Amino acid sequence: MIRPSNSLLARAPVVLRRSFSTGIPRRNDHLPTTNSPIITKLDFFNSVTGNDTQIPTYRLLDGVGKPLDGAQLPEIDEAFAHRLYSNMQLLPTLDNVLYNVQRQGKISFYMTAHGEEATIVGSAAALDMQDEVLGQYREMGVLLWRGFTLDSVMAQCFGNEEDTSGKGRQMPVHFGSPEHHFHTISSPLATQIPQAAGVAYALRRSPTRRSKNIAACFFGEGAASEGDFHAGLMLASTIPSPALFIARNNGFAISTPSTEQYNGDGIASRGPGYGIDTLRVDGNDVLAVISAIREARKRCLEQGRAVLVEAMTYRVGHHSTSDDSFAYRARSEVEDRKRIDNPITRFRLFMESRGWWNNDAETELKARLKADVMKAFKRAETMKRAELGELFTDVYGGQEPWNIKEQRQELSRLVKKYGTIWEPWQKELSKFRNNGQDLMK
């Protein structure tokens, strides 16, 4: 057996280990000997805290809106508090109307944000208006905070001619607005997570936006079970970029409770594995969310690296209009959550303690929001869809490919053949601007 000389052994670093087969020292460069202490006792661990305690949750207000001992509240004035509360109340007002509208068959689908108002509005308030946002399904509140109008919300859900998100070709609540730096929502789960890493890298490479803006990515804890979650965090970690990943842990991935989704300590426990600064926050405490997202955004910009924030909340509403959540959870559980840990009520009690709110203001606000939403709804339902030919525009950039031309020609042939003689087609074509005449030429 050939053995190394004493001089070689003397020069060998501590990472040299003997091969089981030959006994010859070999280099294991992958061993993290400079950072990881050597132990001689088996010590399996299942928590990033290094012991059996769970990752802590950052909170500022208790369940009745009182600041916790030692809590440092973000600096907000009465006007800002009113804006926060108004936007939080607007979400359930919209949800209630559009949920009922879907049940009446006037729109095809809807998804509420009941119970997650503090997470969504608090995050929106903490971000810069120029930050790029890649949402999942429940982030309408971010757009509303940035000035997206109720008419625009209704236009997208009804798919009428004013829908700038997708010209009526996408499902309801799949918003998008370049003006508001809000990337169009996609139906496939978790696709926005690796996209956010790419957007953040593009911001890092942009001379005019470097160290000024970040990419904020929202997703549910169910989406974190997709491979795209790991691909996105890996990309943002190995090619450092200012991506802020905001996980809305609302307890359910449709009908699957979080207890059946993972065996670790939530989503936050995954961040350190990618070398990403991570924080868990009480997602029902709007002030804690604002502080958490502000600090997370600051770290993204200063370090040029990704940050993960897990917001712990609870989905009070059904997953969507295609779901009956009482088939997999007790109605009493939901009612208890509404009563005991309501994010809107918690912030209202905080404002009342400051003398910023009262019952008269509450009554006036709810009446005004309901009137505004109903006005937008009634306007949207009377509007026509875009021209039928818009179905084929903006599908690809550059020269129109042969398959799109072929599909337009085929639809044009059918419209000319049946559109003037068959009543069902006549009725459907009447819903479009110009009654489909653009394809009858």
Side-chain angles (χ1 to χ4, degrees):
M1 179 183 293
I2 301 175
R3 295 185 180 277
S5 66
N6 290 334
S7 59
L8 176 61
L9 286 173
R11 296 194 302 270
V14 293
V15 293
L16 287 175
R17 304 184 68 188
R18 291 191 177 277
S19 165
F20 287 115
S21 59
T22 65
I24 298 176
R26 59 183 174 82
R27 182 180 296 274
N28 286 315
D29 290 329
H30 67 281
L31 293 175
T33 55
T34 57
N35 297 315
S36 180
I38 303 299
I39 61 175
T40 58
K41 180 181 178 182
L42 286 174
D43 186 17
F44 291 90
F45 65 93
N46 195 26
S47 171
V48 294
T49 61
N51 51 47
D52 293 333
T53 61
Q54 288 187 306
I55 299 170
T57 299
Y58 176 69
R59 173 188 289 178
L60 296 176
L61 302 178
D62 64 16
V64 293
K66 295 181 179 180
L68 299 174
D69 291 341
Q72 294 184 348
L73 304 183
E75 294 185 6
I76 63 171
D77 56 21
E78 183 176 354
F80 188 76
H82 283 192
R83 185 182 175 193
L84 284 173
Y85 189 70
S86 177
N87 275 265
M88 291 172 68
Q89 281 285 14
L90 177 57
L91 292 181
T93 305
L94 270 166
D95 287 345
N96 290 335
V97 170
L98 287 170
Y99 193 94
N100 291 330
V101 166
Q102 192 279 335
R103 288 295 187 247
Q104 296 169 11
K106 296 182 179 180
I107 62 176
S108 62
F109 177 83
Y110 192 69
M111 182 174 286
T112 74
H114 277 183
E116 302 174 57
E117 295 88 356
T119 294
I120 296 167
V121 175
S123 296
L127 295 172
D128 186 86
M129 291 290 192
Q130 306 299 313
D131 289 337
E132 302 295 327
V133 173
L134 295 92
Q136 190 168 357
Y137 311 128
R138 307 184 195 276
E139 286 74 44
M140 178 172 61
V142 178
L143 272 170
L144 292 169
W145 181 267
R146 294 185 170 195
F148 201 69
T149 65
L150 290 176
D151 285 333
S152 297
V153 169
M154 292 296 174
Q156 198 285 322
C157 290
F158 277 89
N160 64 34
E161 58 187 321
E162 290 188 351
D163 174 26
T164 58
S165 294
K167 297 184 178 181
R169 299 177 297 191
Q170 182 56 288
M171 292 174 62
V173 303
H174 287 54
F175 302 103
S177 176
E179 176 189 355
H180 299 97
H181 299 273
F182 194 98
H183 294 237
T184 303
I185 293 170
S186 300
S187 292
L189 194 64
T191 54
Q192 75 276 15
I193 303 177
Q195 291 168 1
V199 170
Y201 184 60
L203 291 173
R204 176 188 167 191
R205 290 176 55 85
S206 171
T208 59
R209 303 188 69 182
R210 184 186 303 127
S211 300
K212 293 181 180 178
N213 295 115
I214 68 168
C217 179
F218 292 83
F219 54 93
E221 87 287 346
S225 296
E226 295 286 333
D228 280 349
F229 168 84
H230 299 282
L233 267 67
M234 175 65 81
L235 176 59
S237 174
T238 55
I239 306 178
S241 55
L244 173 53
F245 298 104
I246 304 171
R248 295 179 290 94
N249 193 335
N250 64 18
F252 296 92
I254 307 183
S255 60
T256 305
S258 58
T259 53
E260 297 179 16
Q261 295 177 47
Y262 48 77
N263 199 35
D265 190 0
I267 308 304
S269 63
R270 305 177 191 180
Y274 290 102
I276 292 176
D277 287 354
T278 303
L279 178 72
R280 174 176 289 161
V281 62
D282 182 349
N284 287 351
D285 179 353
V286 68
L287 296 186
V289 172
I290 290 174
S291 293
I293 299 302
R294 280 178 179 173
E295 176 60 25
R297 181 180 184 274
K298 179 181 177 183
R299 287 172 178 253
C300 282
L301 292 175
E302 291 180 350
Q303 302 175 10
R305 299 182 60 83
V307 175
L308 171 64
V309 174
E310 181 182 24
M312 310 303 293
T313 181
Y314 186 85
R315 195 194 78 210
V316 171
H318 305 297
H319 174 262
S320 69
T321 48
S322 301
D323 173 50
D324 177 11
S325 66
F326 299 131
Y328 52 83
R329 62 181 181 179
R331 186 184 297 269
S332 59
E333 174 187 329
V334 177
E335 294 303 319
D336 285 344
R337 287 283 186 167
K338 288 181 181 179
R339 177 173 50 85
I340 297 173
D341 198 17
N342 188 313
I344 296 178
T345 301
R346 189 192 297 195
F347 190 55
R348 176 188 173 182
L349 292 173
F350 168 78
M351 291 200 300
E352 288 178 350
S353 70
R354 296 291 179 99
W356 293 349
W357 204 249
N358 54 46
N359 289 333
D360 290 340
E362 182 79 5
T363 301
E364 186 279 330
L365 174 65
K366 287 185 175 181
R368 175 169 54 83
L369 293 178
K370 180 68 177 292
D372 290 345
V373 170
M374 291 303 298
K375 179 181 177 181
F377 156 65
K378 291 177 181 179
R379 178 176 180 272
E381 71 170 343
T382 62
M383 299 186 69
K384 288 197 172 187
R385 302 170 185 168
E387 288 190 349
L388 185 58
E390 293 284 7
L391 179 66
F392 305 99
T393 61
D394 303 324
V395 180
Y396 297 100
Q399 186 176 3
E400 186 176 67
W402 65 269
N403 59 314
I404 296 297
K405 293 179 180 179
E406 187 178 88
Q407 291 169 24
R408 182 191 290 106
Q409 292 169 359
E410 177 66 9
L411 180 58
S412 178
R413 182 183 67 81
L414 293 171
V415 168
K416 290 176 183 178
K417 183 176 181 179
Y418 299 109
T420 58
I421 62 173
W422 193 26
E423 184 178 351
W425 276 51
Q426 291 175 327
K427 182 179 180 181
E428 191 65 22
L429 287 172
S430 68
K431 299 177 183 178
F432 293 87
R433 191 172 63 211
N434 297 330
N435 302 319
Q437 292 295 317
D438 56 310
L439 289 185
M440 292 186 184
K441 298 177 183 179

